[in-house]
mmCIF file of all heavy atoms in Angstrom:
data_model
loop_
_atom_site.group_PDB
_atom_site.id
_atom_site.type_symbol
_atom_site.label_atom_id
_atom_site.label_comp_id
_atom_site.label_asym_id
_atom_site.label_seq_id
_atom_site.Cartn_x
_atom_site.Cartn_y
_atom_site.Cartn_z
ATOM 1 N N SER A 1358 9.712 99.021 42.072
ATOM 2 C CA SER A 1358 9.378 97.884 42.933
ATOM 3 C C SER A 1358 8.159 98.232 43.778
ATOM 4 O O SER A 1358 7.989 99.386 44.178
ATOM 5 C CB SER A 1358 10.546 97.549 43.861
ATOM 6 O OG SER A 1358 11.621 97.028 43.130
ATOM 7 N N SER A 1359 7.345 97.232 44.022
ATOM 8 C CA SER A 1359 6.177 97.395 44.906
ATOM 9 C C SER A 1359 6.436 96.576 46.158
ATOM 10 O O SER A 1359 6.938 95.446 46.072
ATOM 11 C CB SER A 1359 4.918 96.848 44.243
ATOM 12 O OG SER A 1359 4.727 97.385 42.962
ATOM 13 N N VAL A 1360 6.062 97.126 47.296
ATOM 14 C CA VAL A 1360 6.151 96.366 48.541
ATOM 15 C C VAL A 1360 4.801 96.431 49.248
ATOM 16 O O VAL A 1360 4.328 97.513 49.595
ATOM 17 C CB VAL A 1360 7.258 96.909 49.471
ATOM 18 C CG1 VAL A 1360 7.298 96.081 50.765
ATOM 19 C CG2 VAL A 1360 8.612 96.858 48.782
ATOM 20 N N ILE A 1361 4.207 95.296 49.414
ATOM 21 C CA ILE A 1361 2.904 95.203 50.086
ATOM 22 C C ILE A 1361 3.133 94.549 51.439
ATOM 23 O O ILE A 1361 3.766 93.483 51.520
ATOM 24 C CB ILE A 1361 1.916 94.374 49.250
ATOM 25 C CG1 ILE A 1361 1.767 94.994 47.862
ATOM 26 C CG2 ILE A 1361 0.557 94.298 49.943
ATOM 27 C CD1 ILE A 1361 0.977 94.149 46.886
ATOM 28 N N ASN A 1362 2.650 95.204 52.478
ATOM 29 C CA ASN A 1362 2.902 94.748 53.834
ATOM 30 C C ASN A 1362 1.667 94.153 54.496
ATOM 31 O O ASN A 1362 0.530 94.521 54.175
ATOM 32 C CB ASN A 1362 3.416 95.913 54.695
ATOM 33 C CG ASN A 1362 4.760 96.406 54.230
ATOM 34 O OD1 ASN A 1362 5.732 95.674 54.230
ATOM 35 N ND2 ASN A 1362 4.820 97.666 53.821
ATOM 36 N N CYS A 1363 1.918 93.290 55.456
ATOM 37 C CA CYS A 1363 0.832 92.587 56.149
ATOM 38 C C CYS A 1363 1.300 92.273 57.567
ATOM 39 O O CYS A 1363 2.470 91.915 57.769
ATOM 40 C CB CYS A 1363 0.526 91.301 55.370
ATOM 41 S SG CYS A 1363 -0.544 90.115 56.190
ATOM 42 N N THR A 1364 0.409 92.431 58.526
ATOM 43 C CA THR A 1364 0.711 91.976 59.889
ATOM 44 C C THR A 1364 -0.365 91.009 60.333
ATOM 45 O O THR A 1364 -1.517 91.098 59.895
ATOM 46 C CB THR A 1364 0.783 93.155 60.882
ATOM 47 O OG1 THR A 1364 -0.457 93.875 60.838
ATOM 48 C CG2 THR A 1364 1.914 94.087 60.560
ATOM 49 N N TYR A 1365 0.014 90.073 61.161
ATOM 50 C CA TYR A 1365 -0.933 89.077 61.639
ATOM 51 C C TYR A 1365 -0.748 88.918 63.138
ATOM 52 O O TYR A 1365 0.261 89.340 63.701
ATOM 53 C CB TYR A 1365 -0.736 87.749 60.898
ATOM 54 C CG TYR A 1365 0.632 87.138 61.055
ATOM 55 C CD1 TYR A 1365 0.881 86.138 61.984
ATOM 56 C CD2 TYR A 1365 1.697 87.574 60.261
ATOM 57 C CE1 TYR A 1365 2.138 85.590 62.136
ATOM 58 C CE2 TYR A 1365 2.955 87.035 60.406
ATOM 59 C CZ TYR A 1365 3.178 86.037 61.340
ATOM 60 O OH TYR A 1365 4.424 85.501 61.483
ATOM 61 N N THR A 1366 -1.729 88.315 63.786
ATOM 62 C CA THR A 1366 -1.667 88.241 65.245
ATOM 63 C C THR A 1366 -1.477 86.821 65.767
ATOM 64 O O THR A 1366 -1.033 86.647 66.899
ATOM 65 C CB THR A 1366 -2.959 88.809 65.871
ATOM 66 O OG1 THR A 1366 -4.087 88.103 65.341
ATOM 67 C CG2 THR A 1366 -3.112 90.282 65.574
ATOM 68 N N ASP A 1367 -1.800 85.829 64.948
ATOM 69 C CA ASP A 1367 -1.751 84.453 65.443
ATOM 70 C C ASP A 1367 -0.320 83.913 65.398
ATOM 71 O O ASP A 1367 0.202 83.595 64.333
ATOM 72 C CB ASP A 1367 -2.677 83.573 64.600
ATOM 73 C CG ASP A 1367 -2.775 82.157 65.122
ATOM 74 O OD1 ASP A 1367 -2.160 81.849 66.179
ATOM 75 O OD2 ASP A 1367 -3.477 81.349 64.493
ATOM 76 N N SER A 1368 0.302 83.814 66.551
ATOM 77 C CA SER A 1368 1.694 83.373 66.591
ATOM 78 C C SER A 1368 1.838 81.892 66.232
ATOM 79 O O SER A 1368 2.944 81.422 65.979
ATOM 80 C CB SER A 1368 2.291 83.631 67.977
ATOM 81 O OG SER A 1368 1.516 82.969 68.963
ATOM 82 N N SER A 1369 0.720 81.178 66.190
ATOM 83 C CA SER A 1369 0.805 79.752 65.844
ATOM 84 C C SER A 1369 0.647 79.516 64.357
ATOM 85 O O SER A 1369 0.579 78.370 63.906
ATOM 86 C CB SER A 1369 -0.252 78.956 66.613
ATOM 87 O OG SER A 1369 -1.542 79.264 66.108
ATOM 88 N N SER A 1370 0.580 80.595 63.577
ATOM 89 C CA SER A 1370 0.435 80.437 62.121
ATOM 90 C C SER A 1370 1.544 79.564 61.579
ATOM 91 O O SER A 1370 2.716 79.772 61.888
ATOM 92 C CB SER A 1370 0.480 81.796 61.424
ATOM 93 O OG SER A 1370 -0.630 82.559 61.757
ATOM 94 N N THR A 1371 1.164 78.614 60.760
ATOM 95 C CA THR A 1371 2.176 77.722 60.197
ATOM 96 C C THR A 1371 2.579 78.142 58.793
ATOM 97 O O THR A 1371 3.725 78.043 58.412
ATOM 98 C CB THR A 1371 1.637 76.288 60.148
ATOM 99 O OG1 THR A 1371 0.352 76.301 59.499
ATOM 100 C CG2 THR A 1371 1.489 75.711 61.529
ATOM 101 N N TYR A 1372 1.603 78.592 58.028
ATOM 102 C CA TYR A 1372 1.875 79.021 56.664
ATOM 103 C C TYR A 1372 1.240 80.384 56.420
ATOM 104 O O TYR A 1372 0.159 80.664 56.933
ATOM 105 C CB TYR A 1372 1.298 78.020 55.650
ATOM 106 C CG TYR A 1372 2.024 76.694 55.637
ATOM 107 C CD1 TYR A 1372 1.581 75.642 56.423
ATOM 108 C CD2 TYR A 1372 3.156 76.515 54.843
ATOM 109 C CE1 TYR A 1372 2.243 74.435 56.432
ATOM 110 C CE2 TYR A 1372 3.825 75.305 54.842
ATOM 111 C CZ TYR A 1372 3.369 74.271 55.644
ATOM 112 O OH TYR A 1372 4.025 73.070 55.644
ATOM 113 N N LEU A 1373 1.925 81.179 55.630
ATOM 114 C CA LEU A 1373 1.391 82.485 55.242
ATOM 115 C C LEU A 1373 1.406 82.579 53.738
ATOM 116 O O LEU A 1373 2.336 82.087 53.080
ATOM 117 C CB LEU A 1373 2.212 83.606 55.877
ATOM 118 C CG LEU A 1373 2.071 83.570 57.403
ATOM 119 C CD1 LEU A 1373 3.420 83.421 58.064
ATOM 120 C CD2 LEU A 1373 1.343 84.794 57.906
ATOM 121 N N TYR A 1374 0.369 83.197 53.194
ATOM 122 C CA TYR A 1374 0.130 83.157 51.760
ATOM 123 C C TYR A 1374 -0.071 84.554 51.192
ATOM 124 O O TYR A 1374 -0.537 85.460 51.885
ATOM 125 C CB TYR A 1374 -1.161 82.363 51.474
ATOM 126 C CG TYR A 1374 -1.178 80.949 52.001
ATOM 127 C CD1 TYR A 1374 -1.508 80.690 53.334
ATOM 128 C CD2 TYR A 1374 -0.887 79.878 51.169
ATOM 129 C CE1 TYR A 1374 -1.529 79.393 53.820
ATOM 130 C CE2 TYR A 1374 -0.919 78.576 51.644
ATOM 131 C CZ TYR A 1374 -1.237 78.343 52.968
ATOM 132 O OH TYR A 1374 -1.264 77.053 53.447
ATOM 133 N N TRP A 1375 0.232 84.661 49.903
ATOM 134 C CA TRP A 1375 -0.153 85.842 49.135
ATOM 135 C C TRP A 1375 -0.996 85.376 47.956
ATOM 136 O O TRP A 1375 -0.575 84.534 47.176
ATOM 137 C CB TRP A 1375 1.063 86.613 48.620
ATOM 138 C CG TRP A 1375 1.745 87.416 49.681
ATOM 139 C CD1 TRP A 1375 2.919 87.130 50.322
ATOM 140 C CD2 TRP A 1375 1.292 88.662 50.240
ATOM 141 N NE1 TRP A 1375 3.213 88.112 51.238
ATOM 142 C CE2 TRP A 1375 2.226 89.065 51.210
ATOM 143 C CE3 TRP A 1375 0.173 89.480 50.007
ATOM 144 C CZ2 TRP A 1375 2.103 90.238 51.944
ATOM 145 C CZ3 TRP A 1375 0.040 90.648 50.743
ATOM 146 C CH2 TRP A 1375 0.999 91.022 51.701
ATOM 147 N N TYR A 1376 -2.203 85.931 47.877
ATOM 148 C CA TYR A 1376 -3.113 85.664 46.768
ATOM 149 C C TYR A 1376 -3.290 86.942 45.950
ATOM 150 O O TYR A 1376 -3.249 88.046 46.481
ATOM 151 C CB TYR A 1376 -4.489 85.223 47.280
ATOM 152 C CG TYR A 1376 -4.596 83.764 47.654
ATOM 153 C CD1 TYR A 1376 -4.185 83.318 48.902
ATOM 154 C CD2 TYR A 1376 -5.112 82.840 46.753
ATOM 155 C CE1 TYR A 1376 -4.289 81.983 49.241
ATOM 156 C CE2 TYR A 1376 -5.223 81.499 47.087
ATOM 157 C CZ TYR A 1376 -4.806 81.080 48.335
ATOM 158 O OH TYR A 1376 -4.912 79.747 48.681
#
Side-chain angles (χ1 to χ4, degrees):
Chain A
S1358 291
S1359 308
V1360 180
I1361 303 171
N1362 295 299
C1363 169
T1364 57
Y1365 60 98
T1366 56
D1367 185 3
S1368 57
S1369 70
S1370 293
T1371 51
Y1372 291 93
L1373 295 122
Y1374 303 82
W1375 284 104
Y1376 278 83

